[in-house]
Amino acid sequence: MYKIFVYGTLKSEYLQNKLLGHTLESYDAKLEGYSINTGEKYFNVIPNDGGCVKGKILLVSEKDILYIDQWESVPMYIKDKIRVHSKYGYEDVYIYIKKDKEDKICLQDDVLNMSNNENLEATIDEFAGARDTEFPVCDIYLNYHIDLSAGALSDSKKSHDVITEQVKDKEASFIGYEDLYYENLGQQVSLYYIEDNEKAMLTVVIPVSACNPVRLCEKAFCGKLKTEGKDFADYIYSKYNIKVLKKPKVIIYSSGEIDKFKRVEILSAGESDVKSDEIIEAANTDISRSEDVKVYAFNNVRIYIPKSFAPLYMERLKSLLSF
């Protein structure tokens, strides 16, 4: 069981029911030394001497916390640990805090509404209807090799965030966020430019993904991913002046066991000219040399199924970006 301190949309029982299928047990708590920024569409807490945020502690299961991560668009909001005060004294709990700098600031302590989204319930309905529930929650990484002969990312466009600071063995830069579309569904993604031994890669990071991994792979391998209505690779070239190869390598890091039939579905995505028995054999063969994770791979897809799926996304990312 996990404890999360909430101060915005997660206080909504409507959201809890739509997201989790049930409401959560909760009790009041206070976060001292912070205030709520109500200046943007969705609220965030910011350190503020003398401030005190009134919120609630939710009691959530391991499955619940992954669905909540999806709603909070990790890593737009980073889940971290913080100390709050409740009827039980001081407690160490999880909290969602916006990763990036706030655009508008309006600090308050006691806030009755849960966001500035006037159509919150419609947004919740749309999100709940679009997310995939067929597969376990997964982190998905699309790794595009870059044609350096066409130019590398300029130093002026390279920046760092709390995630690149965790990746010590490679030169990783944060580029920005984009909305990636496959079919009619969109998924917000983070873009990272990684240099290693005179090679470069664009890594598209989709943590706690709400999309179906099979559909995503099919579109990625057929070059049918879209951003701003353009082919994704063309869009990246036009905006960032980096040329990526059309077909990425895909890493799927699963929060739970994926049965062999679904593994076949994932590994066969975009492989219409390959004999099915080869894919079935790959989907049934664990190539990992570690007892802590199972690995199934075929061509450009690798599926990782760890025994333990760390509740903090940053802990998972440290090793995954190294892949």
Side-chain angles (χ1 to χ4, degrees):
M1 186 66 67
Y2 298 100
K3 294 181 179 181
I4 303 176
F5 178 78
V6 299
Y7 50 87
T9 59
L10 287 173
K11 293 189 297 184
S12 166
E13 291 190 352
Y14 184 85
L15 171 61
Q16 294 173 22
N17 268 315
K18 278 285 185 176
L19 205 61
L20 312 173
H22 57 88
T23 56
L24 295 167
E25 184 181 346
S26 67
Y27 52 91
D28 293 335
K30 295 180 180 180
L31 174 60
E32 298 166 350
Y34 286 77
S35 291
I36 298 176
N37 179 25
T38 61
E40 299 189 16
K41 186 173 182 178
Y42 293 103
F43 299 161
N44 185 35
V45 293
I46 296 178
N48 182 33
D49 291 341
C52 184
V53 175
K54 296 179 181 179
K56 290 184 176 295
I57 291 177
L58 303 181
L59 304 181
V60 300
S61 68
E62 186 169 351
K63 184 177 181 181
D64 289 340
I65 206 169
L66 294 174
Y67 287 141
I68 293 172
D69 276 357
Q70 285 185 332
W71 169 255
E72 291 291 336
S73 297
V74 173
M76 276 291 286
Y77 282 75
I78 292 292
K79 186 163 75 263
D80 207 346
K81 287 187 175 179
I82 204 162
R83 176 159 289 192
V84 299
H85 189 261
S86 74
K87 61 184 179 182
Y88 300 110
Y90 284 97
E91 300 185 72
D92 292 322
V93 300
Y94 288 117
I95 189 173
Y96 291 92
I97 299 180
K98 188 177 179 183
K99 177 169 78 75
D100 301 308
K101 185 179 178 180
E102 304 281 335
D103 295 322
K104 299 178 182 178
I105 302 292
C106 180
L107 298 183
Q108 299 181 49
D109 286 342
D110 195 2
V111 181
L112 294 178
N113 56 326
M114 291 174 282
S115 76
N116 290 323
N117 183 353
E118 296 179 356
N119 299 307
L120 180 60
E121 289 193 1
T123 301
I124 293 168
D125 290 343
E126 183 180 13
F127 177 84
R131 65 175 177 156
D132 173 68
T133 55
E134 185 179 348
F135 286 83
V137 173
C138 299
D139 296 336
I140 302 179
Y141 299 76
L142 308 179
N143 293 322
Y144 290 86
H145 287 288
I146 293 170
D147 181 2
L148 289 178
S149 66
L153 186 70
S154 65
D155 289 339
S156 64
K157 291 187 177 180
K158 295 178 182 178
S159 62
H160 289 281
D161 64 358
V162 296
I163 289 176
T164 58
E165 291 171 0
Q166 303 291 324
V167 185
K168 302 298 185 182
D169 59 332
K170 298 180 187 296
E171 184 61 37
S173 302
F174 173 64
I175 300 177
Y177 302 107
E178 298 292 351
D179 289 325
L180 191 68
Y181 284 85
Y182 69 107
E183 297 177 339
N184 295 320
L185 304 177
Q187 174 81 52
Q188 187 176 65
V189 302
S190 304
L191 304 182
Y192 292 89
Y193 182 86
I194 300 174
E195 295 175 301
D196 185 36
N197 296 326
E198 298 183 351
K199 296 180 180 179
M201 179 181 294
L202 176 74
T203 296
V204 180
V205 180
I206 319 174
V208 285
S209 171
C211 61
N212 182 296
V214 175
R215 303 287 86 78
L216 183 71
C217 286
E218 288 174 346
K219 297 297 180 181
F221 293 143
C222 294
K224 293 184 178 179
L225 294 178
K226 301 286 184 181
T227 299
E228 298 290 338
K230 297 181 180 179
D231 171 81
F232 176 70
D234 292 341
Y235 176 84
I236 292 298
Y237 185 63
S238 65
K239 183 172 182 178
Y240 300 104
N241 199 35
I242 54 177
K243 187 174 183 179
V244 298
L245 300 181
K246 292 281 186 177
K247 195 170 184 178
K249 294 185 181 296
V250 181
I251 292 173
I252 295 170
Y253 194 75
S254 176
S255 66
E257 186 66 52
I258 299 176
D259 68 45
K260 63 181 180 181
F261 300 108
K262 292 193 181 300
R263 294 199 299 265
V264 168
E265 277 191 82
I266 295 173
L267 295 180
S268 62
E271 300 287 357
S272 58
D273 56 346
V274 178
K275 293 182 179 179
S276 60
D277 55 347
E278 293 180 49
I279 298 173
I280 291 171
E281 182 179 357
N284 289 329
T285 304
D286 176 8
I287 63 172
S288 174
R289 296 181 179 179
S290 169
E291 294 182 356
D292 295 326
V293 63
K294 297 177 183 178
V295 181
Y296 304 91
F298 190 80
N299 287 351
N300 288 326
V301 182
R302 295 174 78 89
I303 303 170
Y304 290 79
I305 307 176
K307 283 187 177 179
S308 177
F309 193 78
L312 287 178
Y313 170 67
M314 298 290 287
E315 295 174 11
R316 306 197 299 269
L317 187 83
K318 290 177 188 179
S319 59
L320 286 171
L321 275 183
S322 298
F323 291 154

